[in-house]
Coordinates of all heavy atoms in Angstrom, one line a residue:
K1 N 80.5 114.4 69.2 CA 81.6 114.7 68.4 C 82.8 114.9 69.3 O 82.7 115.4 70.4 CB 81.3 116.0 67.6 CG 80.3 115.9 66.6 CD 80.2 117.1 65.7 CE 79.1 116.8 64.6 NZ 79.5 117.3 63.3
I2 N 84.0 114.4 68.8 CA 85.2 114.5 69.5 C 86.4 114.9 68.6 O 86.3 114.6 67.4 CB 85.6 113.2 70.3 CG1 85.8 112.1 69.3 CG2 84.5 112.9 71.3 CD1 86.8 111.1 69.7
I3 N 87.4 115.5 69.1 CA 88.7 115.6 68.4 C 89.5 114.4 68.9 O 89.8 114.3 70.1 CB 89.3 116.9 68.7 CG1 88.5 118.1 68.2 CG2 90.8 117.0 68.1 CD1 88.9 119.4 68.5
P4 N 89.8 113.5 68.0 CA 90.5 112.2 68.4 C 91.8 112.4 69.2 O 92.0 111.7 70.2 CB 90.8 111.5 67.1 CG 89.9 112.1 66.1 CD 89.6 113.5 66.6
S5 N 92.6 113.4 68.9 CA 93.8 113.6 69.7 C 93.5 114.0 71.1 O 94.4 113.8 72.0 CB 94.7 114.6 69.0 OG 94.0 115.9 68.9
A6 N 92.4 114.6 71.4 CA 92.0 115.0 72.7 C 91.6 113.8 73.6 O 91.6 113.9 74.8 CB 90.9 116.1 72.7
F7 N 91.1 112.8 73.0 CA 90.7 111.6 73.7 C 91.2 110.3 73.1 O 90.5 109.5 72.5 CB 89.1 111.6 73.7 CG 88.5 112.7 74.4 CD1 88.0 113.8 73.6 CD2 88.4 112.8 75.8 CE1 87.5 114.9 74.2 CE2 87.8 113.9 76.4 CZ 87.4 115.0 75.6
P8 N 92.5 110.1 73.1 CA 93.1 109.0 72.4 C 92.7 107.6 72.9 O 92.7 106.6 72.2 CB 94.6 109.2 72.6 CG 94.8 110.0 73.8 CD 93.5 110.9 73.8
E9 N 92.3 107.5 74.2 CA 91.8 106.3 74.7 C 90.3 106.1 74.8 O 89.8 105.2 75.4 CB 92.4 106.1 76.2 CG 93.9 106.2 76.2 CD 94.5 104.9 75.6 OE1 94.0 103.8 75.8 OE2 95.5 105.1 74.9
L10 N 89.6 106.9 74.0 CA 88.1 106.9 74.1 C 87.5 105.6 73.8 O 86.7 105.1 74.5 CB 87.5 108.0 73.2 CG 86.0 108.1 73.2 CD1 85.5 108.4 74.6 CD2 85.5 109.1 72.2
A11 N 88.0 104.9 72.7 CA 87.4 103.6 72.3 C 87.6 102.6 73.4 O 86.7 101.8 73.7 CB 88.1 103.2 71.0
V12 N 88.7 102.6 74.1 CA 89.0 101.7 75.2 C 88.0 101.9 76.3 O 87.4 101.0 76.8 CB 90.4 101.9 75.7 CG1 90.6 101.0 77.0 CG2 91.4 101.5 74.7
H13 N 87.7 103.2 76.6 CA 86.7 103.5 77.7 C 85.3 103.1 77.3 O 84.6 102.5 78.1 CB 86.8 105.0 78.1 CG 88.1 105.3 78.7 ND1 88.5 104.9 79.9 CD2 89.1 106.2 78.3 CE1 89.7 105.4 80.3 NE2 90.1 106.2 79.2
V14 N 84.9 103.4 76.1 CA 83.6 103.1 75.6 C 83.4 101.6 75.6 O 82.4 101.0 76.1 CB 83.3 103.7 74.2 CG1 81.9 103.2 73.7 CG2 83.3 105.2 74.3
R15 N 84.4 100.8 75.1 CA 84.3 99.4 75.0 C 84.2 98.8 76.4 O 83.5 97.8 76.7 CB 85.4 98.8 74.2 CG 85.2 99.2 72.7 CD 85.8 98.2 71.8 NE 85.8 98.6 70.4 CZ 84.8 98.6 69.6 NH1 83.6 98.2 70.0 NH2 84.9 99.1 68.3
S16 N 84.9 99.4 77.4 CA 84.9 98.9 78.8 C 83.5 99.1 79.3 O 82.9 98.2 80.0 CB 85.9 99.7 79.6 OG 85.8 99.4 81.0
I17 N 82.9 100.3 79.1 CA 81.5 100.5 79.5 C 80.6 99.5 78.9 O 79.7 98.9 79.5 CB 81.1 102.0 79.2 CG1 81.8 103.0 80.1 CG2 79.6 102.1 79.2 CD1 81.6 104.4 79.7
Q18 N 80.7 99.3 77.6 CA 79.8 98.4 76.9 C 80.0 96.9 77.4 O 79.0 96.2 77.6 CB 80.1 98.4 75.4 CG 79.6 99.7 74.8 CD 79.8 99.8 73.3 OE1 80.7 99.2 72.7 NE2 78.9 100.6 72.6
S19 N 81.2 96.6 77.8 CA 81.4 95.2 78.4 C 80.7 95.1 79.7 O 80.1 94.1 80.0 CB 82.9 95.0 78.5 OG 83.2 93.8 79.1
Q20 N 80.8 96.2 80.5 CA 80.2 96.2 81.8 C 78.7 96.1 81.7 O 78.0 95.4 82.4 CB 80.6 97.5 82.6 CG 79.9 97.6 84.0 CD 80.4 96.5 84.9 OE1 81.6 96.1 84.9 NE2 79.5 96.0 85.8
L21 N 78.1 96.9 80.7 CA 76.7 96.9 80.5 C 76.2 95.5 80.0 O 75.1 95.0 80.5 CB 76.3 98.0 79.5 CG 76.4 99.4 80.0 CD1 76.3 100.4 78.9 CD2 75.4 99.7 81.1
T22 N 76.9 94.8 79.1 CA 76.5 93.5 78.7 C 76.6 92.5 79.7 O 75.9 91.5 79.7 CB 77.2 93.1 77.4 OG1 78.6 93.1 77.6 CG2 76.9 94.0 76.2
T23 N 77.4 92.7 80.7 CA 77.5 91.8 81.9 C 76.3 92.0 82.8 O 75.7 91.0 83.3 CB 78.8 92.0 82.7 OG1 79.9 91.8 81.8 CG2 78.9 91.2 83.9
E24 N 75.9 93.3 83.0 CA 74.8 93.6 83.9 C 73.5 93.3 83.2 O 72.5 92.9 83.9 CB 74.9 95.0 84.3 CG 76.1 95.3 85.2 CD 76.2 96.8 85.6 OE1 75.2 97.5 85.6 OE2 77.4 97.2 85.9
F25 N 73.4 93.6 81.9 CA 72.1 93.4 81.2 C 72.4 92.4 80.1 O 72.8 92.7 79.0 CB 71.7 94.8 80.5 CG 71.5 95.9 81.5 CD1 72.5 96.8 81.7 CD2 70.2 96.1 82.1 CE1 72.3 97.9 82.6 CE2 70.0 97.1 82.9 CZ 71.1 98.0 83.2
T26 N 72.2 91.1 80.4 CA 72.7 90.0 79.6 C 72.0 89.9 78.2 O 72.6 89.4 77.3 CB 72.5 88.7 80.3 OG1 71.1 88.5 80.7 CG2 73.4 88.6 81.6
S27 N 70.9 90.5 78.0 CA 70.2 90.4 76.7 C 70.6 91.6 75.8 O 70.2 91.7 74.7 CB 68.7 90.4 76.8 OG 68.2 91.5 77.5
L28 N 71.4 92.6 76.4 CA 71.8 93.8 75.6 C 72.8 93.4 74.5 O 73.7 92.6 74.7 CB 72.4 94.7 76.6 CG 73.0 96.0 76.0 CD1 71.9 97.0 75.6 CD2 73.9 96.7 77.1
T29 N 72.6 94.1 73.4 CA 73.7 94.0 72.4 C 74.1 95.5 72.1 O 73.2 96.4 72.2 CB 73.2 93.4 71.1 OG1 72.1 94.0 70.5 CG2 72.8 91.9 71.3
C30 N 75.3 95.7 71.7 CA 75.8 97.0 71.5 C 76.9 97.1 70.4 O 77.4 96.1 70.1 CB 76.3 97.7 72.8 SG 77.4 96.7 73.7
D31 N 77.1 98.3 69.9 CA 78.1 98.5 68.9 C 78.7 99.9 69.1 O 78.1 100.7 69.8 CB 77.5 98.4 67.5 CG 78.5 98.0 66.4 OD1 79.7 98.0 66.7 OD2 78.0 97.7 65.3

């Protein structure tokens, strides 16, 4: 749970992590 105004860039950071993970684990799918 988050307060959106406290973490306005959260989605950018999570998608960056997911991109890195799918590069390292090529069969991984995420959402």
Side-chain angles (χ1 to χ4, degrees):
K1 292 190 176 219
I2 62 146
I3 296 175
S5 61
F7 299 99
E9 299 292 319
L10 181 61
V12 172
H13 293 294
V14 172
R15 294 208 188 278
S16 174
I17 288 171
Q18 290 180 332
S19 177
Q20 181 66 35
L21 289 168
T22 57
T23 299
E24 295 177 25
F25 301 94
T26 56
S27 63
L28 177 72
T29 60
C30 50
D31 205 353

